[in-house]
Amino acid sequence: MCGIVGAVAERDVVPILVEGLKRLEYRGYDSAGVAVLDSDGCINRIRMPGKVAELEKEVIKTNLNAHSGIAHTRWATHGEPTKNNAHPHVCRQTVTVVHNGIIENHEALRESQTKAGYEFTSQTDTEVIVHQVYQHHVEAEKDLLAAVKDTLVDLEGAYALGVISNKEPGRLITARRGSPLVIGVGIGEYFIASDVAALLPVTQRFIFLEEGDVADIRRDSLTIYDEHRNVVKRPIKESELTADAVERGKYRHYMEKEIHEQTRAIADALEGRLGGDKVLEEAFGPDAGKIFDEVKGVHIIACGTSYHAGLVARHWFEALAGIPCVVEVASEFRYRKPVVRKNSLIITISQSGETADTMAGLQEAKRLGFGHSLAICNVPESSLTRESDLSLMTRAGPEIGVASTKAFTTQLVSLLLLVIALGRRNAMSVEMEADLVAQLKSLPSKVEKVLELDEAIKLLAQNFADKHNALFLGRGLHYPIAMEGALKLKEISYIHAEAYAAGELKHGPLALVDAEMPVIIVAPNNELLDKLRSNMQEVKARGGELYVFADEKSGFKDEPGIHVMNIVEMEDETSPIIHTIPLQMLSYHVAILKGTDVDQPRNLAKSVTVE
């Protein structure tokens, strides 16, 4: 995911810009660049494909020194990861821009700008922004703030921008819509970044810009305008994080930290990918539209937690998009003889992008001639993304704990974005897409509410401290979530846990139920609720203890043998994403009570790169 850093100060900002980029490397990128205004008012720009370390070497060689500048790490969407496509972009040695997001109408703007005599040196959608700013700023003779405001009217899509001009040294204009941006507040200096992590070495005071905000930043002044262009005050917030804090921060384990990072991770997964009430198709890559037009079916290949994400997506693809979907464990797919459907989109899902079975499954699918491929992954430079025609980064950030948490929920978010992008070509109406987009936008706030249940779930976990077996039940969309909950519990607490479709209870698993077998129920408020209640009565009648994780509107109440954890009210389509989080928390607290190694459970590895 792209990263922005910018600064206006009395001191040399070049080291700050480079260090900021390093701290944004977790977001994923394939090129990096920096542009500064020197003492002569000239724009000095250095861009490099590859790692920030390569950019840093060039910066040291050239001995850059400046009091204002912008910098960027880019993950390619429009155009290859080359030097020319790297940010910042410059127009006629006057205006320079960095940009996160996607400009939907870039082709129309490029056509009109070409006719007006502007020359393009990149394939990016961003270059139309710098030309448009120049046109309003220089040709229309407006100041930089007015030029940027006029440019924003011309843009359709999502953006976070940093803009400087050599005609107005010491001034930095920034704006956001659909992509996050923060302003770091120093003493006689200001900074901008995509994430507070980039600026922690220089400040712990931050202003979080809101949707549609534009900020006029100088060394000694800051003015923020809202989407209606009225001057507003945004609060300054003190970050609890410090630059030299241990990686786990205030958390006891990485897994605990990563569970609580899911609000931000999901917001990052949506950043720049939603425009108004629709999904921005360009997020999947410049050729996505043409490829999606050919898709007649979907074939998902994955392992472990990623496989469970695929099982949820199967319900979405068929029920919401009207597209047939097959989901397979990668280690099984590569050794059987599947029937080839030539217009199937092969979707591989992997946190690391290096899972050996998944990679081999993709290669086998290509050999058999299934069709185009798309990787859903958390690591942009991975083998899986390089081997695939398209890729969508989950943007979970670094996940250190072996038991996946935020990687799983961001996989689900990414898959639902894909379901919408494909579904609009099939059974999905405009109204349904708008409703799903609204549900996605509401996810971060709902996840935040779920995380407030941590202490209550910690108490509930005490009931599992002496248990050796557990049974998870779910129906429909939520059966895979029961599977994921069972996997988490067995991975880190070493309790033997299995998941079943609740309707299968009487076909075998009921024989295991007694007072020593806790039964965990995933209970959304949907059309299967009454059937789920019947399944629960089957357990209760055999003396089993039930632990129900319910939509707060489901109507469940505590009673002898039934322990209810009401979550939040939620829409059915996105409820699997919300329901999985309390199950993660339960597993974590049970593992603490069991005294196991939470982050590095025995016999397991984070990235499985062998068969």
Side-chain angles (χ1 to χ4, degrees):
M1 180 171 52
C2 301
I4 287 174
V5 185
V8 180
E10 280 190 337
R11 56 174 159 165
D12 179 19
V13 301
V14 174
I16 297 169
L17 298 177
V18 174
E19 177 62 24
L21 293 185
K22 288 180 180 179
R23 289 173 173 270
L24 293 178
E25 287 187 292
Y26 76 89
R27 297 165 73 91
Y29 69 102
D30 48 44
S31 60
V34 60
V36 298
L37 290 177
D38 64 21
S39 57
D40 296 324
C42 295
I43 294 176
N44 286 316
R45 176 179 59 159
I46 300 174
R47 300 176 295 168
M48 294 290 292
K51 297 292 186 181
V52 172
E54 298 303 313
L55 174 71
E56 186 176 27
K57 291 176 185 176
E58 291 301 311
V59 168
I60 293 171
K61 284 180 187 177
T62 55
N63 197 29
L64 279 186
N65 186 292
H67 298 297
S68 62
I70 51 179
H72 191 266
T73 54
R74 173 180 184 258
W75 172 242
T77 54
H78 299 77
E80 299 294 322
T82 63
K83 180 177 179 179
N84 282 348
N85 288 329
H87 299 214
H89 288 287
V90 175
C91 183
R92 299 176 182 175
Q93 293 304 307
T94 302
V95 177
T96 182
V97 168
V98 289
H99 164 230
N100 290 353
I102 293 173
I103 304 304
E104 292 183 81
N105 61 331
H106 72 97
E107 290 181 352
L109 289 172
R110 179 180 284 256
E111 183 178 351
S112 65
Q113 290 171 2
T114 300
K115 290 178 180 177
Y118 288 88
E119 293 183 3
F120 285 81
T121 60
S122 79
Q123 300 167 299
T124 67
D125 57 334
T126 300
E127 198 171 1
V128 302
I129 302 174
V130 73
H131 291 165
Q132 207 71 3
V133 173
Y134 180 92
Q135 190 175 44
H136 291 300
H137 180 40
V138 178
E139 295 183 3
E141 299 182 345
K142 296 182 179 181
D143 76 343
L144 188 59
L145 175 63
V148 172
K149 287 181 177 179
D150 288 350
T151 296
L152 298 181
V153 175
D154 302 328
L155 303 180
E156 297 175 11
Y159 53 77
L161 299 177
V163 186
I164 58 176
S165 166
N166 64 7
K167 288 186 173 296
E168 298 183 29
R171 193 178 197 185
L172 168 61
I173 309 298
T174 190
R176 66 147 297 191
R177 182 175 296 280
S179 290
L181 207 62
V182 301
I183 297 176
V185 181
I187 300 173
E189 56 189 10
Y190 287 97
F191 313 92
I192 65 170
S194 305
D195 191 318
V196 297
L199 302 177
L200 288 173
V202 291
T203 185
Q204 287 178 264
R205 303 171 69 218
F206 298 96
I207 296 171
F208 294 83
L209 293 181
E210 296 186 10
E211 190 78 350
D213 280 357
V214 178
D216 183 2
I217 304 170
R218 303 173 192 258
R219 183 186 61 77
D220 56 358
S221 69
L222 169 66
T223 307
I224 300 175
Y225 302 84
D226 65 15
E227 61 181 346
H228 304 296
R229 302 303 174 247
N230 298 315
V231 175
V232 292
K233 294 287 186 182
R234 301 292 186 216
I236 297 176
K237 298 185 178 181
E238 292 276 347
S239 173
E240 295 180 1
L241 299 175
T242 59
D244 58 351
V246 294
E247 288 183 318
R248 288 193 301 270
K250 64 180 181 180
Y251 297 101
R252 183 174 174 182
H253 296 93
Y254 284 110
M255 182 180 178
E256 182 188 20
K257 174 176 180 281
E258 288 153 10
I259 287 172
H260 286 270
E261 286 177 337
Q262 287 178 105
T263 301
R264 189 184 72 180
I266 289 172
D268 284 347
L270 296 172
E271 176 199 333
R273 293 169 173 174
L274 301 177
D277 55 2
K278 65 179 181 178
V279 170
L280 301 179
E281 199 165 274
E282 295 87 347
F284 297 90
D287 297 324
K290 182 171 63 176
I291 290 174
F292 290 169
D293 286 342
E294 300 174 6
V295 173
K296 302 301 181 187
V298 169
H299 207 113
I300 297 176
I301 303 171
C303 300
T305 287
S306 298
Y307 171 68
H308 297 157
L311 291 175
V312 174
R314 178 176 66 187
H315 287 269
W316 285 335
F317 274 116
E318 297 192 345
L320 303 177
I323 297 172
C325 177
V326 175
V327 186
E328 296 204 54
V329 175
S331 57
E332 291 294 314
F333 172 78
R334 60 186 295 196
Y335 292 117
R336 75 178 190 88
K337 296 180 180 179
V339 175
V340 176
R341 294 184 299 177
K342 292 188 179 297
N343 289 322
S344 285
L345 178 67
I346 293 293
I347 301 172
T348 53
I349 312 172
S350 169
Q351 190 281 139
S352 68
E354 303 295 342
T355 308
D357 284 322
T358 306
M359 272 297 302
L362 172 60
Q363 291 161 356
E364 178 66 6
K366 284 183 172 183
R367 186 187 70 80
L368 292 172
F370 266 81
H372 292 289
S373 57
L374 182 149
I376 291 179
C377 183
N378 194 36
V379 183
E381 304 86 1
S382 66
S383 300
L384 200 64
T385 58
R386 292 197 303 269
E387 290 281 336
S388 301
D389 299 319
L390 301 172
S391 59
L392 188 68
M393 296 300 101
T394 58
R395 300 174 171 175
E399 189 179 67
I400 309 302
V402 166
S404 181
T405 52
K406 60 180 181 174
F408 177 64
T409 49
T410 54
Q411 284 174 354
L412 291 175
V413 169
S414 301
L415 283 161
L416 187 50
L417 290 172
L418 179 60
V419 169
I420 295 169
L422 289 173
R424 64 166 68 116
R425 292 167 163 79
N426 292 276
M428 188 175 293
S429 66
V430 172
E431 292 75 18
M432 181 182 289
E433 177 172 359
D435 178 60
L436 291 172
V437 167
Q439 290 187 42
L440 285 168
K441 288 180 177 179
S442 72
L443 275 176
S445 62
K446 290 188 176 181
V447 168
E448 193 65 27
K449 289 182 180 179
V450 174
L451 292 171
E452 294 173 1
L453 298 172
D454 189 59
E455 284 300 318
I457 293 173
K458 184 177 180 180
L459 290 174
L460 190 71
Q462 295 176 5
N463 296 323
F464 292 76
D466 62 345
K467 298 296 187 288
H468 301 284
N469 301 282
L471 187 64
F472 286 71
L473 301 178
R475 298 196 74 128
L477 261 175
H478 300 81
Y479 172 38
I481 299 306
M483 296 171 71
E484 176 63 13
L487 177 62
K488 286 292 155 288
L489 190 64
K490 73 177 71 167
E491 279 182 316
I492 62 170
S493 75
Y494 311 151
I495 291 176
H496 173 245
E498 298 297 336
Y500 280 85
E504 285 292 291
L505 189 61
K506 64 180 74 67
H507 297 290
L510 199 57
L512 300 173
V513 172
D514 59 19
E516 295 303 310
M517 171 73 82
V519 179
I520 298 91
I521 304 285
V522 184
N525 185 22
N526 61 19
E527 71 278 1
L528 295 174
L529 186 60
D530 288 339
K531 293 186 180 299
L532 193 61
R533 289 182 190 276
S534 298
N535 300 139
M536 290 170 56
Q537 290 304 315
E538 294 170 352
V539 173
K540 189 178 178 183
R542 274 79 179 177
E545 289 283 316
L546 286 154
Y547 298 85
V548 184
F549 290 83
D551 183 313
E552 64 182 9
K553 296 295 184 181
S554 296
F556 289 104
K557 294 181 180 179
D558 282 339
E559 57 181 270
I562 300 179
H563 312 269
V564 179
M565 182 63 62
N566 284 310
I567 309 175
V568 294
E569 184 179 1
M570 62 194 92
E571 296 85 355
D572 193 45
E573 290 83 0
T574 50
S575 61
I577 302 168
I578 298 170
H579 257 108
T580 195
I581 294 170
L583 299 183
Q584 296 169 352
M585 296 159 74
L586 175 67
S587 298
Y588 173 77
H589 288 300
V590 172
I592 294 296
L593 292 170
K594 289 282 191 179
T596 62
D597 188 339
V598 173
D599 287 330
Q600 295 180 323
R602 66 189 182 202
N603 306 329
L604 300 178
K606 186 65 180 171
S607 179
V608 184
T609 56
V610 295
E611 184 178 349

